[in-house]
Amino acid sequence: QDERIPVTVLTGYLGSGKTTLLNHILSQPHGLKIAVIENEFGEVGVDDALVKQRFDTEEEIFEMNNGCICCTVRGDLIRILGKILKRRTRLDAVLIETTGLADPAPVAQTFFMDESIKAQARLDAILTVVDAKHILQHLDEEKPEGAENESVEQVVFADRLLLNKVDLVTPAQLEEVTGRLRALNRLSEIIPCAHAAVPLERLLGIRAFDLARIVEMEPDFLSEEGGEHHHDSAITSVGIVREGALVLDKFNAWMGTLLKERGQDIYRSKGILSVEGLDRRFVFQGVHMMFDGSPQDPWKPEDKRTSRLIFIGKGLDRAELTAGFDACLRQQ
């Protein structure tokens, strides 16, 4: 059993409802001890009425009336996480709100990089709050050359999408928005909500970023190759499904080079691999340049040993990625 504290990264465009969601978490009598980290210049401005005690003026950590704690980080995320994890009271969850950041990747990467954090905490999920009424105009916004469209990245990165403010749109608009979100991110659950009222058990401790959970991805999630309309966005997903045994050293070398050269453009990569000489599924996932993998559940005798992986990013070359992967298979 993984005893590490689950950490959730909360992202979403300005005005999407993150503040409402956080105040909801920090005020409900749910009995959980949750630490909320607001990333620099958070516009969250936790409601003063919710604050039980400010530890002392220098301190960045406040205790809420329901026992949760809240802090504002201007400095180093790793330092404040370390501080929170050292506290005597055992936490049930940590929530990191990323406002000033264009995309959640740097926060997610902390959990691939820092060994001390990795030992005590695990990334549970990236949640993106989406404003049903305004998201389309943000997704369609023309950005100057070289600039990222943050709202697109936030949708692409999400392990779960909270489609908020559904009470402000018509059923037809809701359908259109859902279709656009699906085209950008076809793996994540979409949870429609109003006033960001989503039960905590659907947000925290859901293991959506978990390597073991990737194993449960619908086996056919890659099969409807390129059927959907990609709204001419440069962001696409490339899925690869192959039978045959993979040579792990070759795969690691190929991925290492690929992510070094193209990692900026590859937002997420994940997959389940059938590795030569290994009777367990090898599961990996990456965020930009970082990637991490380990053997998980054993293959069952009746399983068809196939490798399935997906890349999500911009300007991806399907032929190049497929050829690169094929070169890592044991040649019959």
Side-chain angles (χ1 to χ4, degrees):
Q1 204 43 44
D2 193 337
E3 290 296 309
R4 295 175 301 166
I5 295 174
V7 177
T8 303
V9 176
L10 179 67
T11 179
Y13 215 67
L14 297 171
S16 59
K18 296 192 298 293
T19 310
T20 314
L21 179 67
L22 284 184
N23 281 323
H24 179 65
I25 289 170
L26 291 172
S27 60
Q28 298 296 313
H30 42 62
L32 296 172
K33 292 262 185 282
I34 301 170
V36 170
I37 300 175
E38 289 180 42
N39 225 314
E40 48 179 4
F41 324 119
E43 86 279 22
V44 169
V46 166
D47 192 339
D48 275 342
L50 302 177
V51 180
K52 179 163 107 194
Q53 71 190 86
R54 300 186 174 272
F55 287 90
D56 54 54
T57 48
E58 289 308 294
E59 190 37 90
E60 308 139 299
I61 301 176
F62 308 126
E63 188 169 336
M64 300 297 152
N65 295 331
N66 67 351
C68 290
I69 61 176
C70 183
C71 56
T72 314
V73 184
R74 292 182 188 76
D76 186 351
L77 180 63
I78 291 177
R79 181 185 60 80
I80 195 87
L81 261 173
K83 202 165 177 177
I84 285 177
L85 296 171
K86 276 198 195 74
R87 298 183 78 228
R88 274 190 213 88
T89 35
R90 162 83 192 173
L91 289 169
D92 295 302
V94 175
L95 194 66
I96 301 171
E97 188 258 353
T98 64
T99 340
L101 290 172
D103 76 60
V107 177
Q109 287 172 337
T110 306
F111 295 87
F112 287 83
M113 288 156 66
D114 190 277
E115 291 305 323
S116 64
I117 299 287
K118 228 168 156 172
Q120 301 176 73
R122 60 177 181 80
L123 187 53
D124 185 64
I126 295 176
L127 303 179
T128 297
V129 186
V130 171
D131 172 346
K133 193 167 172 62
H134 299 110
I135 185 67
L136 293 182
Q137 72 194 56
H138 295 312
L139 294 177
D140 291 334
E141 197 179 326
E142 287 295 324
K143 292 283 178 181
E145 187 58 44
E148 298 294 351
N149 181 330
E150 299 85 6
S151 62
V152 171
E153 295 205 349
Q154 290 167 352
V155 170
V156 170
F157 260 96
D159 293 308
R160 199 157 275 189
L161 289 157
L162 310 183
L163 183 49
N164 193 27
K165 308 193 188 184
V166 294
D167 50 330
L168 305 180
V169 295
T170 64
Q173 288 169 319
L174 188 59
E175 196 177 325
E176 185 189 359
V177 170
T178 306
R180 283 292 296 283
L181 296 178
R182 261 296 152 252
L184 285 169
N185 182 336
R186 53 185 216 248
L187 302 183
S188 298
E189 184 185 357
I190 297 176
I191 302 177
C193 53
H195 309 291
V198 178
L200 286 186
E201 62 273 12
R202 298 189 72 183
L203 304 177
L204 304 175
I206 55 178
R207 293 189 175 273
F209 199 89
D210 191 338
L211 288 175
R213 265 292 297 277
I214 295 179
V215 174
E216 300 162 23
M217 290 189 307
E218 300 70 55
D220 50 299
F221 86 96
L222 294 173
S223 56
E224 13 93 271
E225 284 290 54
E228 71 291 317
H229 169 58
H230 268 298
H231 200 83
D232 73 22
S233 101
I235 294 186
T236 55
S237 53
V238 172
I240 301 173
V241 183
R242 287 288 182 271
E243 286 182 42
L246 192 68
V247 183
L248 194 55
D249 291 350
K250 284 187 178 179
F251 176 76
N252 279 331
W254 172 65
M255 275 298 279
T257 307
L258 177 68
L259 295 182
K260 202 162 80 193
E261 293 172 357
R262 299 288 315 283
Q264 265 331 104
D265 296 338
I266 298 175
Y267 297 151
R268 296 284 296 256
S269 52
K270 45 176 133 180
I272 304 157
L273 308 173
S274 170
V275 171
E276 184 176 61
L278 190 66
D279 56 6
R280 296 197 289 164
R281 300 158 194 260
F282 188 88
V283 180
F284 83 92
Q285 72 166 323
V287 171
H288 287 304
M289 283 78 167
M290 311 278 153
F291 88 115
D292 194 8
S294 64
Q296 300 282 335
D297 315 353
W299 292 98
K300 297 192 192 70
E302 67 275 15
D303 286 339
K304 195 163 162 196
R305 290 189 51 155
T306 48
S307 294
R308 303 197 297 277
L309 62 164
I310 189 163
F311 294 96
I312 303 171
K314 59 174 195 229
L316 300 182
D317 182 332
R318 181 182 295 276
E320 179 195 340
L321 290 170
T322 307
F325 182 75
D326 285 348
C328 303
L329 291 168
R330 167 65 66 211
Q331 301 310 318
Q332 293 306 329

